[in-house]
Amino acid sequence: MRLISGLKNTPSRLAILSVLEKGKYPLDALQVYKAVKNNTDLATVYRTLETFSENGLVDKFDLEEGKYRYEIKKKHHHHLVCEACGRIEDIFSNDVFALEKEIKSKYEFLVKRHALEFFGLCRSCQK
Amino acid sequence: MRLISGLKNTPSRLAILSVLEKGKYPLDALQVYKAVKNNTDLATVYRTLETFSENGLVDKFDLEEGKYRYEIKKKHHHHLVCEACGRIEDIFSNDVFALEKEIKSKYEFLVKRHALEFFGLCRSCQK
DNA sequence: ATCCATGCAAATTTTTTGCATTTGT
DNA sequence: ACAAATGCAAAAAATTTGCATGGAT
């Protein structure tokens, strides 16, 4: 299968990682839990996702849904969230970094990370 | 006191609005509830905050804390969140709009709103 | 052998909802 | 009066935690 950084290589972890790798869009904990066909406890799913996030294997983020979503790690990016159909699309633009520099000098705030999500209507939902 | 758009002017609403106006930083529902000194039910606080948000009196947003925060409406802005002390500061820069335009043409996605939060260390927590 | 991971159950936290009653306009 | 707002209690949803057991290295 696949090794995971320095962590123990358990069946649950492999299964969860596989689910995330196959995921076409970011999943929440319950979706992951169901996808591994209940062979793993929900608490374990949460703990594993947290571990993966801490170890840089997945990205954890928040789309203002009252819960978190998890996505296999990829190049730094943001999301387009359709308010009509819920479709989530990746965008890899990063003009935000210019803003970050400005913040650093103007506010003397050390930016370590940022979250940027766009909400609106995807192409097909505009019709 | 103060009138609220076309809504009923109740003591609870006035109290909640007043708390938000005096707030130096964005508050969560429980903080608002405590600030009105339990003269109002928590459920009412939630319903009122939601109503205020829908009517543009307050901004509701999400700082990846597993809960929402509410802030009296002001000029469009974003937040700097210190990961050490939790301090939340407003920033009014908006270079993000250029990005939005790009998204519109490139992805044909209609952006209705976006959320941008910066996380890091504020000036005093860098020492 | 030793930690670490897991399952199970219970608890926590945030938010929502139903319904009868009260209140603002 | 009448629709809207509130309190109270209960439920829902997401996430976390304690603890004994099992498993990976």
Side-chain angles (χ1 to χ4, degrees):
Chain A
M1 288 280 173
R2 263 199 57 174
L3 298 179
I4 304 172
S5 52
L7 309 169
K8 278 193 185 173
N9 214 333
T10 72
S12 285
R13 285 179 173 173
L14 266 343
I16 291 170
L17 193 60
S18 167
V19 163
L20 291 169
E21 278 171 342
K22 285 174 194 144
K24 299 269 186 294
Y25 54 90
L27 304 173
D28 63 40
L30 195 58
Q31 290 173 322
V32 172
Y33 171 67
K34 285 175 181 162
V36 296
K37 298 202 190 66
N38 305 18
N39 290 322
T40 304
D41 192 77
L42 224 205
T44 300
V45 170
Y46 273 105
R47 282 187 281 227
T48 302
L49 290 172
E50 196 56 35
T51 301
F52 283 180
S53 174
E54 286 166 357
N55 287 79
L57 288 169
V58 311
D59 278 320
K60 172 185 182 180
F61 55 86
D62 187 320
L63 260 24
E64 302 188 18
E65 303 169 297
K67 67 184 174 189
Y68 293 99
R69 287 192 178 264
Y70 304 83
E71 190 176 35
I72 197 80
K73 190 79 167 193
K74 48 180 89 166
K75 185 161 153 272
H76 183 73
H77 66 284
H78 306 289
H79 297 100
L80 300 177
V81 183
C82 182
E83 291 176 332
C85 69
R87 185 179 167 204
I88 303 167
E89 195 173 354
D90 294 338
I91 47 165
F92 294 88
S93 301
N94 56 359
D95 275 5
V96 194
F97 293 115
L99 229 193
E100 287 196 1
K101 278 181 192 157
E102 186 190 330
I103 290 164
K104 197 170 297 182
S105 55
K106 196 148 101 188
Y107 295 85
E108 294 185 57
F109 186 97
L110 177 62
V111 177
K112 302 191 79 168
R113 66 190 182 82
H114 66 257
L116 173 58
E117 319 292 343
F118 292 94
F119 302 85
L121 295 175
C122 71
R123 196 184 164 204
S124 48
C125 287
Q126 285 174 46
K127 293 162 196 166
Chain B
M1 287 277 174
R2 263 199 56 173
L3 296 179
I4 303 173
S5 53
L7 309 169
K8 278 193 185 174
N9 214 333
T10 72
S12 285
R13 285 179 172 174
L14 266 343
I16 291 171
L17 193 59
S18 166
V19 163
L20 291 168
E21 279 172 340
K22 287 175 193 143
K24 298 268 186 296
Y25 54 90
L27 304 173
D28 62 42
L30 195 58
Q31 290 173 322
V32 172
Y33 171 67
K34 285 175 181 165
V36 295
K37 300 202 189 66
N38 305 19
N39 291 321
T40 304
D41 192 78
L42 223 204
T44 300
V45 170
Y46 272 105
R47 282 186 282 227
T48 302
L49 290 172
E50 197 56 35
T51 302
F52 283 180
S53 174
E54 286 164 358
N55 288 77
L57 288 169
V58 312
D59 279 320
K60 172 185 182 179
F61 54 86
D62 187 318
L63 261 23
E64 302 188 18
E65 302 169 297
K67 67 185 175 188
Y68 293 99
R69 286 190 179 265
Y70 305 83
E71 189 176 36
I72 196 82
K73 191 78 165 193
K74 48 181 91 168
K75 187 161 152 270
H76 184 72
H77 66 283
H78 307 289
H79 297 100
L80 302 177
V81 183
C82 182
E83 290 177 330
C85 69
R87 186 179 166 202
I88 303 167
E89 194 172 352
D90 294 339
I91 48 166
F92 294 87
S93 301
N94 56 357
D95 275 4
V96 193
F97 293 117
L99 229 192
E100 287 195 2
K101 279 180 191 157
E102 187 190 328
I103 290 165
K104 196 171 296 182
S105 57
K106 195 148 102 188
Y107 294 85
E108 295 184 56
F109 187 97
L110 176 63
V111 177
K112 304 190 80 169
R113 66 190 182 83
H114 65 257
L116 174 57
E117 319 291 343
F118 292 94
F119 301 85
L121 295 175
C122 70
R123 196 184 165 203
S124 48
C125 287
Q126 286 174 46
K127 292 162 195 169

